[in-house]
Amino acid sequence: MTKEEKIGLEEAMDDLEEIVEVLEEGKMTLEESLDLYEKGMKLVKLCQARLQSAEKRIESLTGELPPDLG
Amino acid sequence: MRISDRLDGDARLHDLWARGEVSNYIHHRSGHRYFTLKDQDSQISCVLFKSNGLSLDFEMKDGKNVMVFGDIAVYRPQGRVQLVARGIKKDEGLGYRHLQLEQLMKKLAAEGLFASERKRDLPRYPERIGIVTSPQGAALRDVVRTLGSYPARIILSPAQVQGDGAEKSIASAISALRGRADVVIVCRGGGSTEDLWCFNSEVVARAIFACDAPVISAIGHETDVTIADYVADLRAATPTAAAKMAVPDVDELKQSLSSAGVRMVRALWTSLERQEERLEYLMNAVSARRMYSLAQDARQRLDYLSERLEAAEARELQAQRSRLDLAKGRLTAVGPRATLSRGYVIARSAEGLILTAQDARPGQEIELILGKGRLLCRVLECRDEKEAI
């Protein structure tokens, strides 16, 4: 698992927002923009994957979990 | 008697409301009712005379919580101060507890448990959602359903949410989530005020206060507000509403993700366009600038050359001058006088130098310039060179 796959949704979304803002500001060189764009798209994919694969996991601290929720 | 007068004259002891629990209730056959009104630390004898008792709209009995309207008076035969009731209202069975609640509220408020500065923001993207509720309750199902497909672990910390021991159970269920959740939902479905009462307890309030994650409370229905709601970082009207507050909307999230992609592509294109424009501009700028710099170069070169030219000219002049001097010296050295002194003669007539025999004619007067002095002579004969040899 790479570091990028490990980061949480919050961090990923925050990073993504920042990247979009920086890109929209347009103060970077073309090369830097491309790098950022690639990084941003990776984050988008990462978040999308995270949202897709959402199998809900319910756990109980006491182990007491009604069958309809397990 | 004087005591009685004193009491009668004190306005604060008339038309007053007293709140407490009924005990020692006696409905005398005279129609009058006698009882003791009690709260946590005091009690007072009360009497409700038959005439006033007719309007009673509920059945009095021991343990009932009531609010009594009346006047303080002395029952002289026994020298006893009592409350002479003129009206009695049922206190929803909670009079004393409400009083207690008010005191607890005051205390907790003074300690800052309700302070708005203390309220924490909810995490935007929680990964672990703690839920304190009954595993059997509908509230839990509402919450789980509403969390929908949002990718987070749901950690249930089971609690008994009504009845004896509920307070402690709720408090320890909240404490058990310490370090295990990013946000905690404490919830319970609707119920009677009595049912929800455990959420008014001090232990629950303190447990919520001590929770290391922000707490959303959702207890009963919209109109039920408990101390837990005041202490919680956020109060939701229902468990469903609490779940909605706890996580972002997944569809919106997906939407914003794809819009982030679009925005990035657009930004990239814009920046590309901008770069192109810049390139064009630079190209234009370059040619103009280049011309200018060429001209500049040329001018500089010109300056340089002219400087060099001047220097060269000066040098040339100098050279010429020295050559002239040299020539003068040599001229002096090889001049006619030196030649003359070696035995040669310059002959000249009035017409000029005589270089050939034909430059003179017989009888003409000519002058011979010698190394020293001159001779004036008359030509006898003019002979060509050949003949002379």
Side-chain angles (χ1 to χ4, degrees):
Chain A
M1 199 180 251
T2 66
K3 190 188 160 215
E4 274 178 2
E5 280 162 0
K6 253 189 210 165
I7 68 169
L9 201 56
E10 170 141 29
E11 204 182 327
M13 290 297 285
D14 284 350
D15 285 358
L16 183 59
E17 242 161 70
E18 201 187 314
I19 285 175
V20 172
E21 266 164 37
V22 170
L23 271 176
E24 283 182 340
E25 240 171 63
K27 285 186 184 157
M28 324 279 299
T29 67
L30 198 56
E31 197 125 325
E32 286 169 320
S33 295
L34 274 168
D35 282 352
L36 267 188
Y37 171 78
E38 235 167 72
K39 209 167 150 196
M41 281 321 254
K42 221 178 259 179
L43 287 173
V44 169
K45 297 236 169 68
L46 178 84
C47 293
Q48 278 170 342
R50 181 86 34 114
L51 291 180
Q52 294 297 332
S53 73
E55 48 176 288
K56 217 173 313 149
R57 282 176 299 172
I58 305 181
E59 44 201 289
S60 168
L61 289 185
T62 57
E64 184 189 353
L65 201 59
D68 66 314
L69 291 174
Chain B
M1 190 61 200
R2 269 188 223 149
I3 296 173
S4 174
D5 286 349
R6 193 71 177 265
L7 293 181
D8 286 348
D10 191 335
R12 284 175 302 173
L13 300 177
H14 294 280
D15 301 332
L16 58 83
W17 282 100
R19 187 183 243 171
E21 193 180 306
V22 174
S23 63
N24 305 323
Y25 176 65
I26 299 161
H27 195 172
H28 202 263
R29 53 191 151 83
S30 62
H32 306 323
R33 301 159 204 252
Y34 302 93
F35 59 95
T36 306
L37 193 63
K38 275 167 66 171
D39 70 9
Q40 206 166 16
D41 17 60
S42 53
Q43 61 178 57
I44 188 166
S45 302
C46 297
V47 56
L48 180 70
F49 294 119
K50 186 179 175 184
S51 54
N52 292 319
L54 294 176
S55 61
L56 214 57
D57 58 355
F58 64 97
E59 195 201 338
M60 288 276 282
K61 62 176 182 190
D62 283 355
K64 203 91 180 168
N65 283 289
V66 293
M67 292 176 69
V68 180
F69 179 71
D71 311 281
I72 299 293
V74 179
Y75 179 53
R76 272 184 276 176
Q78 286 179 16
R80 209 167 57 183
V81 174
Q82 63 180 8
L83 174 59
V84 180
R86 282 190 272 152
I88 297 180
K89 267 177 42 174
K90 195 159 61 167
D91 196 2
E92 303 302 324
L94 291 168
Y96 161 61
R97 288 206 290 192
H98 273 294
L99 208 67
Q100 247 189 340
L101 180 65
E102 263 165 45
Q103 283 165 357
L104 180 58
M105 289 272 279
K106 262 184 211 155
K107 178 172 140 189
L108 297 181
E111 284 183 39
L113 266 71
F114 308 147
S116 54
E117 310 90 73
R118 197 201 80 87
K119 306 289 184 203
R120 293 162 291 191
D121 289 334
L122 302 181
R124 287 197 302 154
Y125 306 101
E127 307 206 337
R128 303 165 305 170
I129 301 166
I131 305 177
V132 174
T133 193
S134 158
Q136 282 75 41
L140 176 60
R141 277 124 191 109
D142 287 346
V143 169
V144 169
R145 189 178 52 245
T146 309
L147 291 176
S149 66
Y150 180 79
R153 282 165 60 201
I154 299 174
I155 296 145
L156 173 65
S157 189
Q160 177 196 334
V161 291
Q162 72 183 77
D164 284 345
E167 306 173 0
K168 284 209 175 89
S169 171
I170 295 163
S172 56
I174 294 169
S175 310
L177 281 170
R178 170 167 289 277
R180 292 194 161 103
D182 302 320
V183 62
V184 172
I185 298 174
V186 176
C187 61
R188 188 205 189 283
S192 67
T193 310
E194 188 86 22
D195 287 341
L196 304 181
W197 201 259
C198 46
F199 290 97
N200 280 322
S201 69
E202 186 169 350
V203 277
V204 171
R206 295 205 183 278
I208 292 175
F209 189 73
C211 186
D212 59 352
V215 175
I216 307 175
S217 69
I219 291 139
H221 296 299
E222 174 99 54
T223 49
D224 304 313
V225 183
T226 63
I227 284 189
D229 291 314
Y230 287 113
V231 186
D233 296 275
L234 203 60
R235 182 203 170 219
T238 62
T240 301
K244 273 191 189 144
M245 288 173 182
V247 297
D249 185 86
V250 172
D251 289 335
E252 258 172 48
L253 210 53
K254 284 180 180 166
Q255 189 68 40
S256 79
L257 274 175
S258 57
S259 101
V262 169
R263 280 170 69 189
M264 282 195 294
V265 171
R266 196 182 298 146
L268 202 63
W269 274 113
T270 310
S271 108
L272 249 172
E273 264 165 37
R274 206 174 294 144
Q275 304 271 6
E276 235 162 65
E277 268 166 37
R278 194 170 148 73
L279 194 65
E280 214 164 290
Y281 165 77
L282 280 178
M283 273 163 65
N284 291 338
V286 158
S287 49
R289 201 181 293 162
R290 200 169 145 69
M291 297 294 272
Y292 179 74
S293 93
L294 278 179
Q296 190 90 339
D297 279 359
R299 188 171 308 142
Q300 251 178 27
R301 201 169 148 70
L302 204 62
D303 284 349
Y304 171 69
L305 284 177
S306 69
E307 243 168 70
R308 275 187 59 182
L309 202 61
E310 267 170 43
E313 266 171 354
R315 262 202 312 279
E316 188 75 4
L317 212 63
Q318 188 66 33
Q320 303 254 5
R321 189 167 298 142
S322 39
R323 266 170 72 186
L324 202 64
D325 286 347
L326 192 68
K328 207 192 276 168
R330 284 179 59 191
L331 211 58
T332 322
V334 298
R337 252 174 233 293
T339 312
L340 293 181
S341 63
R342 284 187 278 140
Y344 292 86
V345 167
I346 295 170
R348 65 179 180 192
S349 69
E351 280 102 89
L353 282 173
I354 300 167
L355 298 175
T356 68
Q358 282 146 14
D359 290 340
R361 26 179 219 280
Q364 189 180 19
E365 278 182 11
I366 61 167
E367 189 185 25
L368 296 181
I369 300 165
L370 309 172
K372 229 169 203 169
R374 295 176 230 194
L375 297 175
L376 270 175
C377 309
R378 195 171 298 276
V379 178
L380 299 175
E381 203 180 33
C382 296
R383 290 177 194 161
D384 278 340
E385 214 172 333
K386 288 174 215 164
E387 292 167 47
I389 295 161

